[in-house]
Amino acid sequence: KVLPRICCLRNVSFDPGELNEYRKTVGDDLFSLPVLDTLSQFHDAENLGSLIRPEIADAESALRIVDDVRIDGRLDLHAIHQKVLTVLSEADYLTQKYHVVITNPPYMGGKGMNAQLKAFAEEKFPNSKSDLFAMFIERCCALAVPHGYVSMVTMQSWMFLSSFEKLREWLLDKKTILSMVHIGARGFDTIGGEVVSTTAFVLANAHLQNYKGGFVRLVDGVGEAEKISLFHAALAQNQQS
């Protein structure tokens, strides 16, 4: 009986001074600095997507307050009111409140990014800017509550390349790898060749001192069936020991 709540982010921008009359109507108390900053973050939402980190910590409460605002008879403010509601709704989806975050993020290196996305990555994700998937490792941890779980399938390159050294240090110092299956190349029959080499893992969104994670190496298997067989064999061996 659980229904999906799906948010398709869209660009929302405000003209200079557009909010002044609206603020006079709803009151300045609502428009704290985090709210104003958040309203300016979604002008390029269709490009930046859920990498956006809203400045407001509790968008849900602000959304309820704005939703109760009555602007009857002010047709000139109706469109602005709807845009404010849209931004706060989108921000609510992107705040830290999830117990579990699960995703197979997009993969894109810096050469494939447009100028806006590349500048955003360099400013907001300096430790993972080399690829979108690595940026999403950071972002998903920011979406999960403390001691929540983050489960992802990503490229394996963050485990080895020097460009991700800072990211690895951050993960080891601040998070905990609970389990990992190093899939390697040819893990998906629908994707041929050695291009996509992946790893699947579950993180605890906290540093658990002395925790010993479970790791399975499947890089020697070729194709889904062989890797699945190796995985089950590793599980059986672990249970016996």
Side-chain angles (χ1 to χ4, degrees), residues 103-173:
T103 186
N104 177 9
Y107 308 155
M108 179 189 290
K111 292 182 180 179
M113 300 179 190
N114 58 43
Q116 294 79 9
L117 178 56
K118 191 167 186 177
F120 178 85
E122 291 176 351
E123 178 185 357
K124 303 295 186 181
F125 296 91
N127 294 339
S128 55
K129 63 184 178 182
S130 299
D131 200 291
L132 272 183
F133 81 80
M135 294 158 62
F136 271 102
I137 294 176
E138 282 195 68
R139 185 67 186 97
C140 288
C141 288
L143 288 169
V145 297
H147 295 276
Y149 298 94
V150 174
S151 180
M152 304 181 72
V153 179
T154 70
M155 297 286 281
Q156 67 177 23
S157 52
W158 68 267
M159 301 163 61
F160 308 106
L161 298 184
S162 59
S163 55
F164 297 116
E165 182 176 357
K166 296 286 187 182
L167 176 64
R168 290 194 295 272
E169 291 176 353
W170 176 75
L171 284 172
L172 293 174
D173 291 342

Side-chain angles (χ1 to χ4, degrees), residues 6-14 38-52 63 78-91 93-94:
I6 300 172
C7 178
C8 182
L9 298 177
R10 51 184 176 150
N11 297 340
V12 182
S13 60
F14 298 88
T38 300
L39 292 177
S40 68
Q41 287 184 280
F42 287 80
H43 62 91
D44 200 18
E46 294 172 22
N47 184 31
L48 305 178
S50 49
L51 289 173
I52 296 172
L63 182 61
H78 180 75
I80 301 172
H81 183 65
Q82 292 304 313
K83 288 200 294 185
V84 172
L85 287 173
T86 298
V87 168
L88 292 177
S89 176
E90 293 183 359
Y93 277 88
L94 300 182

Side-chain angles (χ1 to χ4, degrees), residues 170-234:
W170 176 75
L171 284 172
L172 293 174
D173 291 342
K174 304 298 183 182
K175 313 300 174 185
T176 305
I177 301 176
L178 301 177
S179 61
M180 174 181 283
V181 176
H182 188 185
I183 301 170
R186 301 182 184 276
F188 305 97
D189 291 345
T190 55
I191 305 175
E194 303 286 328
V195 177
V196 179
S197 295
T198 59
T199 183
F201 54 90
V202 180
L203 301 174
N205 202 25
H207 183 67
L208 306 179
Q209 191 71 25
N210 300 322
Y211 185 92
K212 294 183 179 180
F215 298 84
V216 179
R217 180 178 168 88
L218 303 179
V219 296
D220 294 331
V222 179
E224 290 179 12
E226 188 172 341
K227 289 182 185 287
I228 290 172
S229 178
L230 289 172
F231 179 68
H232 285 300

Side-chain angles (χ1 to χ4, degrees), residues 87-102:
V87 168
L88 292 177
S89 176
E90 293 183 359
D92 181 38
Y93 277 88
L94 300 182
T95 53
Q96 185 180 44
K97 61 178 181 177
Y98 301 99
H99 292 259
V100 179
V101 180
I102 304 173

